[in-house]
DNA sequence: GTGAAAGCGCTAACAA
DNA sequence: TTGTTAGCGCTTTCAC
């Protein structure tokens, strides 16, 4: 058998005994130093560190994991897309995970993936992780009601109700429903009779959340709830939906489930001769980087991805390291409505005097050139 | 010591001996079955699999890695951004890695990160990986010339010259320079005297590549090479650059280093009263999902992220598994120019008769509504 | 404060 | 085709 963890061809990688020998201490002491355990004199610690440095020693994680039963790594299951939302979340997760001293293993699910989230988690479990993050899960095509996956590591689900059974199941995230509600109310406050919704694929919890928030806002003010148009998150699908919506003269306000679809929608509307925002107002969701620079600059709600990731992972790590303790309680992030130029009061012909007696959204109009930070923003 | 790899609280995880006992074979045979080694009778294999299933057995990867010296995992170093390019590349890498049977470990570098790429690779090495992918590296602020990092696992660098020393160093990717050249030539073929360039941050190899391609296209036709304007990939920076460029009446064509900047640029130009594409043509880079739906639909070059990732990883895995063999030779992906509505011949006043004697770009104009696939596309 | 001994669960060589 | 015997490099337990 060749020595080393695949690190070297000729020269075997140094082990802790080698360091121990050179430092003139026992192997166990080396272990103590590298684990920051107490009861090592400053002098010994120095010697060990020097010897390690000199030899180019690095702890062998496989051996460590085998002996300790912990891999010090966290797995994350993401959708295999470069969509702004999921990608941002993943980056946020990585940042926090590294800060906590864990390693990150990533597995994707693709829509239509036969194994789905279950398969992805399984592969994570095979790899051996101490905890799992499921980011924006979607429904599996549970033919015949697949049983919830059972795990024995703590799980954090971002943006959705937990589809698993595990010793600890945490959820994080914002309630996209609250944000959706805020977006819808902004439109209502502007004087629109009702608001249409361009939804995401309903297999996504994220999409359903937004739909619910939209509905809640409407019913809370006794407004008519129009039929939902659905897309697949892409600008292309937003464009298709836009052609449909453009034919209905009654549409004066649309809340799109993400910015990409909103952009496609606006294009279709514009091509059909319906001006945005003069004839139709559009609100997006996510605040993607280009949102402030498209024509017209897009009013949208911003998701605090970093905050969500950070807050959730803090609790996950806590659960991993304190299996017996009570899970920490989540703290909700703020909702951030960014008002730009794609929303306005409805056209006079259809304008309703019913401004509602709502408070809240102090909606203001951004002046035409996009501001450095991309418009006015209101915290809720 | 508690048993198991962090899997269970009470019930210890079953080991291969347990499976062996139940199946009535030796432990080694179980190992053979789970490694798809030859010389196991179908009958025995069945029995082992059944026993494993019954016990809920899964291979312990830490033990496996320790004994074999291989972790069967590949690490990837990415920029910590949700930018479309890097994110797409990461997704592509994940897909391929999983297909090859390896696990994926991810580490980000942030711009301004003190440890930088070196630190990221180091943390990967600590974790123990069999190979490393560096995606779109950027220059480190090498104060005093930091020495190239030495590794002893194969490395694949996507989109850049290798900043490391390793037993095998592979590069993948496209030559953004070729694509940049194609984009620039498209503009020249349209009749523009010269083409301005809105560059990305020059610390990125990706940005420098594009700049070089643009320059090459210009000098090959003896055109004037205008001063470069730089941005930071964001639409906001494109907008700022656009305000500058708008003041120079001589600008009739701009090649932007990515689509986000192109969108910001177009907005600034439009606000300054310069119509796109009538007065100024703009070409982007990446073909982000909304590119076909902004106003005007954006002409751009599409990067074949999946193809690049797949091709590169195939070679990396080959190098990992055949340390002695010659590295495979890369195959370059095709260049895909997508012509939409943001480019046109220059305005008459400034139009030059010098159409050049170039062949190539059979540029055609997309009709106004974006096509399903978002415009015409030409392979080079 | 430090060290010795005993595994963690697997794969690698060699036998049978 | 299958089994036996040694480790892989650490952490753990317990002794000093």
């Amino acid at each position: 058998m060749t020595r080393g963890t695949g690190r070297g061809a000729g020269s075997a990688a140094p082990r802790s005994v080698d360091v121990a020998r050179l430092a003139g201490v026992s192997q166990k002491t080396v272990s103590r130093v590298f684990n920051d355990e107490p009861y090592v004199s400053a002098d010994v610690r120095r010697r060990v560190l020097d010897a390690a440095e000199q030899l180019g020693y690095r702890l062998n994680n496989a051996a460590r994991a085998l002996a300790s039963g912990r891999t010090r790594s966290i797995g994350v299951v993401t959708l295999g897309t470069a969509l702004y939302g999921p990608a941002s979340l993943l980056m946020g997760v990585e940042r926090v995970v590294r800060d906590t001293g864990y390693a990150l293993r990533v597995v994707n699910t693709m829509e239509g993936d036969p194994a789905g989230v279950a398969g992805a988690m399984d592969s994570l479990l095979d790899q051996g992780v101490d905890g799992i993050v499921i980011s924006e899960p979607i429904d599996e095509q549970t033919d015949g009601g697949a049983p919830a996956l059972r795990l024995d590591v703590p799980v954090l689900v971002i943006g959705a109700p937990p589809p698993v059974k595990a010793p600890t199941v945490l959820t994080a995230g914002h309630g996209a429903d609250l944000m959706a509600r805020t977006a819808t109310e902004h439109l209502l406050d502007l004087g629109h009779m009702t608001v249409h919704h361009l939804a995401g694929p309903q297999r996504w919890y994220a999409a359903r959340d937004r739909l619910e928030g939209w509905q809640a806002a409407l019913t809370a003010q006794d407004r008519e709830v129009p039929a939902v148009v659905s897309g697949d998150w892409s600008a292309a699908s937003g464009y298709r939906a836009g052609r449909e919506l453009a034919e209905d003269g009654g549409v004066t306000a649309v809340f799109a489930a993400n910015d990409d679809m909103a952009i496609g929608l606006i294009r279709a509307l514009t091509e059909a001769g319906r001006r945005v925002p003069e004839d139709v107002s559009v609100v997006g969701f996510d605040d993607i980087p280009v949102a402030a620079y498209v024509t017209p600059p897009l009013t949208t709600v911003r998701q605090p991805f970093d905050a969500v990731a950070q807050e959730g992972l803090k609790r996950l790590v806590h659960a991993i390291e304190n299996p017996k303790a009570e899970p920490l309680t989540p703290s909700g992030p703020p909702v951030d409505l960014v008002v730009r130029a794609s929303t306005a009061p409805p056209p006079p012909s259809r304008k309703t005097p019913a401004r509602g007696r709502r408070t809240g959204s102090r909606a203001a109009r951004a002046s035409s050139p996009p501001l450095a930070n991309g418009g006015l923003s209101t915290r809720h």
Side-chain angles (χ1 to χ4, degrees), chain A:
Chain A
M1 180 197 301
T2 39
R3 194 121 73 39
T5 52
R7 291 226 203 95
S11 61
R15 300 150 303 158
S16 57
V17 263
D18 301 324
V19 177
R21 202 142 35 211
L22 183 60
V25 297
S26 79
Q27 183 271 331
K28 171 68 225 191
T29 298
V30 175
S31 172
R32 283 206 180 89
V33 170
F34 276 86
N35 285 293
D36 275 326
E37 285 174 33
Y39 304 127
V40 184
S41 70
D43 170 54
V44 171
R45 163 165 272 120
R46 257 260 63 72
R47 274 178 17 232
V48 169
L49 258 16
D50 285 349
E53 167 89 61
Q54 189 179 326
L55 259 28
Y57 169 74
R58 44 183 14 134
L59 232 159
N60 180 320
N61 243 292
R64 176 142 97 154
L66 177 57
S68 69
R70 292 187 39 202
T71 60
R72 281 148 231 264
S73 67
I74 288 178
V76 56
V77 179
T78 62
L79 273 323
T81 68
L83 287 175
Y84 182 73
S88 300
L89 221 30
L90 178 57
M91 290 304 132
V93 167
E94 194 281 339
R95 206 159 310 160
V96 186
V97 166
R98 190 138 72 117
D99 284 349
T100 62
Y102 281 73
L104 217 223
R105 317 209 182 183
V106 176
V107 178
N108 283 170
T109 3
M110 254 71 67
E111 287 208 69
D113 191 338
V117 173
M121 297 180 80
D122 215 59
S123 108
L124 246 20
L125 258 12
D126 272 349
Q127 293 175 44
V129 291
D130 295 341
I132 290 184
V133 179
I134 307 179
S135 176
E136 301 267 16
I138 61 178
D139 278 348
E140 304 299 325
Q141 53 282 56
T142 45
D143 315 317
L149 191 60
R150 285 201 61 86
L151 307 175
D152 31 25
V153 296
V155 173
L156 170 69
V157 186
I158 299 186
V164 292
K165 292 220 189 317
T168 317
V169 178
L170 275 12
T171 51
H174 43 81
D177 53 342
L178 180 59
M179 302 178 134
R181 187 169 175 154
T182 304
T184 309
E185 286 170 352
H186 163 60
L187 260 5
L188 259 18
D189 287 351
L190 247 20
H192 294 272
M193 290 287 279
T194 189
V195 176
H196 284 69
H197 182 41
L198 170 46
Q202 291 300 300
R203 295 175 55 223
W204 293 53
Y205 291 102
R208 295 211 292 272
D209 255 18
R210 288 161 213 199
L211 187 126
E212 278 163 27
W214 162 75
Q215 248 169 352
L218 254 28
T219 53
Q221 295 191 35
D222 293 321
R223 304 305 176 91
E224 178 205 350
V225 179
V228 170
V229 189
S230 278
D232 63 7
W233 299 127
S234 74
S237 71
Y239 181 79
R240 285 192 294 272
R243 297 185 91 123
E244 252 179 68
L245 254 16
E247 288 172 10
D248 179 353
V251 177
T252 68
V254 184
F255 162 52
N258 78 348
D259 287 350
D260 282 43
M261 291 199 294
I263 289 170
L265 169 73
I266 289 175
R267 169 141 211 97
L269 255 20
T270 308
E271 285 178 8
R274 311 213 47 191
R275 294 161 306 159
V276 177
E278 293 81 358
D279 299 324
V280 183
S281 288
V282 176
V283 176
F285 200 102
D286 272 349
D287 195 22
I288 63 175
V290 298
Y293 298 91
V294 294
T295 303
L298 195 62
T299 294
T300 186
V301 277
R302 180 185 297 153
Q303 298 207 64
F305 297 110
D306 274 20
V308 169
Q310 177 150 18
E311 191 278 323
L313 275 162
K314 200 182 67 194
R315 286 182 292 128
L316 180 65
V317 170
H318 175 85
I320 290 172
E321 296 180 346
N322 309 280
K324 303 288 171 196
E326 274 302 293
L328 300 175
T329 45
S331 57
V335 175
D336 221 352
L337 174 69
V338 186
V339 179
R340 298 202 183 92
S342 66
T343 48
S349 54
R350 315 199 140 270
K351 184 172 183 180
T352 165
R355 306 277 309 219
R357 61 271 163 258
R358 297 202 60 270
T359 59
S361 315
R362 283 140 294 156
R365 172 130 326 284
S367 53
S368 55
L371 276 28
N373 81 349
L376 295 175
S377 119
T378 337
R379 290 250 145 148
H380 288 249

